[in-house]
Amino acid sequence: MKERKIILPEKDMPRKWYNIQADLPTPLQPPLNPSTKKPASPDDLSAIFPISLIEQEVSTERWIDIPEEVLDIYSTWRPSPLHRAYNLEKALGTPAKIYYKQEGVSPAGSHKPNTAVAQAYYNKQAGIKRLSTETGAGQWGSSLALACNYFDLECTVYMVKISYHQKPYRRSLMEVWGADVYASPTDMTQSGRNVLADNQDSLGSLGIAISEAVEDAAGNSDTNYSLGSVLNHVMLHQTIIGLECQKQFEMVNDYPDYVIGCCGGGSNFAGISLPFIHDKIRDDKPVRAIAVEPEACPTLSKGAFTYDYGDVAKYTPLLMMHTLGHDFMPPGIHAGGLRYHGMSPIISQLCTDGLVEGRAYGQEGVFEAALTFARTEGILPAPETAHAIKCAIEVALECKESREEKTILFNLSGHGHFDLTAYDDYLAGKIKDVDYPQELIDQSIASLEKIK
Ligand SMILES: *Cc1c(COP(=O)(O)O)cnc(C)c1O
């Protein structure tokens, strides 16, 4: 019998997160206060975040202890298995070795609980009673609902209206874990009412839902806001993924030449790649880190590297990042988790410094890759994850051409059990590449304020 799963014993689970801010070749630019445009002070952020997370956001300590209570919850599904994709390798006829890290085994079905649990813990410690957040397709909302339930916190989720109606089962899941879920834009916040006054039938967007959730937290002293990606502390919490992979590769005496992840706000990609990028910076390891995006929302490959807001109402601090502009409305694609205008400042800086490469694919090829994976390895991936699979397959086929036995690692960021409508559409031939929105991107970037 072949050994397909590399299982790290629970007692060997990493006890610290890795903070790449200690090792970045170019330090990050500070976030800016949205009204003064001066570097944001901890006080600017303390209305919506606990001090412990604000400290992690700016920390340059290389290793940060994972609290015992967080480790205890992690251990319900962590360490997650590292799989060798023998069947996929065989089907492709490649000499390359393909591994995937299975983050779909968490209760919410993705990597997102790795940070949701940590954020809920630190907010509970700070005496907070309720967390507010936004969600698109519901993956982040369900992860935070799960985490709040573990720590007995209330959870309010502003869910993009079109998804609220199209993805009712993610909403059910959030409600099972005790969250209150509202279709955004709502009439409960000023930012929501402003949008509705303009357009009663607005279908909502992630940028609008973030404005509502931030406004809710800023206006209630017992409530904080929680973001599922983009920010430095989120990238930090996700490094448990790559740190486990490093130990698992040691167990089989291998090491990846390529580390691949799909990229929305950057957190699952950061999680799997940052510990390997640490090796690259420190020991000159020749590992290549590839961030994969949809052609319809190519933030890293086509965005500007500049200061921009995280939301439509401009409530959030300005972050120095790759952005398609906070007003950019990506065309509707099925990988909802990758439809965000901004990118993690850490991933943006690493890309600018040549330590991360971006690649973008159209959704037809992405779904084809998802089916190849489901029909060889058996696991149905989330459409977001399928972007990483598409890239892994492409690299494996390049290896076939060049007859190189490279080692490829990708992050299986989540399963696709709540995305079956999308798969139905693909099987019915209804999924086509959407036109690449270069003109929209140009307009949106040109309208950004110049800040220096
Ligand atoms: C949310 C999500 C993503 C995209 O978010 P990142 O912060 O870029 O990781 C990717 N895959 C899955 C399964 C998700 O739920």
Side-chain angles (χ1 to χ4, degrees):
M1 199 176 78
K2 283 190 189 122
E3 197 177 0
R4 287 179 191 268
K5 294 193 300 304
I6 300 139
I7 306 279
L8 188 66
E10 271 181 45
K11 64 175 176 31
D12 294 334
M13 188 158 69
R15 295 291 197 269
K16 293 172 195 290
W17 292 301
Y18 168 59
N19 179 16
I20 199 164
Q21 290 200 72
D23 297 304
L24 285 176
T26 314
L28 299 179
Q29 301 287 320
L32 304 181
N33 178 303
S35 20
T36 64
K37 314 263 158 56
K38 297 274 179 286
S41 70
D43 280 352
D44 292 341
L45 302 171
S46 63
I48 58 170
F49 295 116
I51 288 299
S52 43
L53 289 178
I54 297 172
E55 281 168 4
Q56 289 184 358
E57 191 61 20
V58 297
S59 170
T60 50
E61 288 288 316
R62 183 169 294 120
W63 298 102
I64 294 182
D65 285 334
I66 307 176
E68 204 49 47
E69 293 86 338
V70 173
L71 285 170
D72 186 47
I73 294 175
Y74 275 179
S75 70
T76 45
W77 71 92
R78 306 209 70 86
S80 70
L82 178 69
H83 290 245
R84 175 84 185 266
Y86 284 113
N87 297 3
L88 177 63
E89 290 170 16
K90 190 165 167 218
L92 299 174
T94 178
K97 291 181 272 181
I98 306 175
Y99 294 85
Y100 56 96
K101 180 70 164 163
Q102 221 316 14
E103 289 297 305
V105 296
S106 80
S110 77
H111 64 289
K112 290 193 171 81
N114 296 334
T115 185
V117 168
Q119 292 189 43
Y121 167 79
Y122 288 114
N123 276 291
K124 183 73 180 186
Q125 289 295 99
I128 287 296
K129 297 274 177 288
R130 180 169 71 96
L131 289 179
S132 71
T133 197
E134 72 292 331
T135 198
Q139 284 143 323
W140 169 243
S142 50
S143 301
L144 193 67
L146 167 79
C148 285
N149 183 62
Y150 278 128
F151 288 104
D152 207 10
L153 289 165
E154 292 169 48
C155 182
T156 304
V157 182
Y158 295 87
M159 184 171 188
V160 176
K161 192 179 278 172
I162 184 163
S163 307
Y164 184 92
H165 294 298
Q166 281 181 354
K167 312 233 159 165
Y169 297 123
R170 283 267 175 206
R171 173 170 55 75
S172 317
L173 195 53
M174 290 183 255
E175 289 173 352
V176 162
W177 282 316
D180 294 313
V181 188
Y182 302 101
S184 163
T186 71
D187 59 6
M188 297 152 52
T189 66
Q190 192 54 51
S191 43
R193 287 189 293 272
N194 291 349
V195 173
L196 290 173
D198 272 357
N199 175 10
Q200 192 59 44
D201 303 320
S202 166
L203 296 175
S205 74
L206 220 42
I208 295 168
I210 295 178
S211 301
E212 291 207 272
V214 169
E215 186 181 326
D216 182 345
N220 291 289
S221 60
D222 66 352
T223 302
N224 269 346
Y225 169 69
S226 178
L227 188 64
S229 189
V230 182
L231 298 178
N232 304 337
H233 65 266
V234 180
M235 307 299 131
L236 172 78
H237 302 153
Q238 292 294 355
T239 58
I240 182 92
I241 303 173
L243 293 167
E244 284 181 3
C245 287
Q246 287 180 320
K247 292 189 168 198
Q248 287 162 313
F249 273 110
E250 252 173 50
M251 291 167 70
V252 291
N253 209 3
D254 206 344
Y255 191 89
D257 298 292
Y258 294 87
V259 179
I260 299 169
C262 66
C263 218
S267 75
N268 88 84
F269 171 70
I272 198 159
S273 67
L274 294 184
F276 291 100
I277 294 175
H278 182 207
D279 289 351
K280 189 177 167 89
I281 295 171
R282 191 190 46 196
D283 305 330
D284 257 342
K285 287 272 190 192
V287 52
R288 285 173 65 180
I290 308 181
V292 191
E293 312 183 292
E295 255 172 17
C297 192
T299 316
L300 208 52
S301 357
K302 302 284 172 172
F305 184 47
T306 184
Y307 272 111
D308 194 12
Y309 302 92
D311 67 328
V312 170
K314 307 189 196 175
Y315 289 156
T316 70
L318 288 141
L319 299 178
M320 184 69 179
M321 61 182 176
H322 280 82
T323 175
L324 297 168
H326 56 269
D327 285 330
F328 177 72
M329 271 285 204
I333 51 165
H334 283 283
L338 306 184
R339 285 181 76 232
Y340 184 62
H341 69 273
M343 179 58 61
S344 142
I346 288 176
I347 298 304
S348 296
Q349 188 60 57
L350 287 170
C351 184
T352 305
D353 289 341
L355 287 162
V356 163
E357 321 164 31
R359 286 198 197 179
Y361 298 107
Q363 60 176 352
E364 241 184 288
V366 163
F367 272 92
E368 192 190 335
L371 254 72
T372 302
F373 188 73
R375 289 174 179 177
T376 50
E377 295 296 314
I379 295 170
L380 185 77
E384 290 84 358
T385 307
H387 288 72
I389 298 175
K390 167 75 184 162
C391 181
I393 290 178
E394 193 172 274
V395 172
L397 291 175
E398 286 163 17
C399 291
K400 182 177 180 178
E401 195 71 23
S402 61
R403 303 211 170 96
E404 283 177 295
E405 195 190 297
K406 298 276 190 194
T407 297
I408 302 167
L409 167 66
F410 74 86
N411 199 6
L412 200 146
S413 56
H415 67 64
H417 296 180
F418 287 94
D419 301 286
L420 289 167
T421 330
Y423 281 98
D424 270 350
D425 284 354
Y426 178 72
L427 293 172
K430 286 195 257 176
I431 287 195
K432 296 275 170 273
D433 286 349
V434 271
D435 272 348
Y436 178 65
Q438 185 66 54
E439 221 166 282
L440 285 177
I441 293 172
D442 291 344
Q443 277 170 17
S444 164
I445 290 176
S447 70
L448 286 178
E449 300 161 48
K450 298 273 171 291
I451 291 159
K452 192 63 245 167

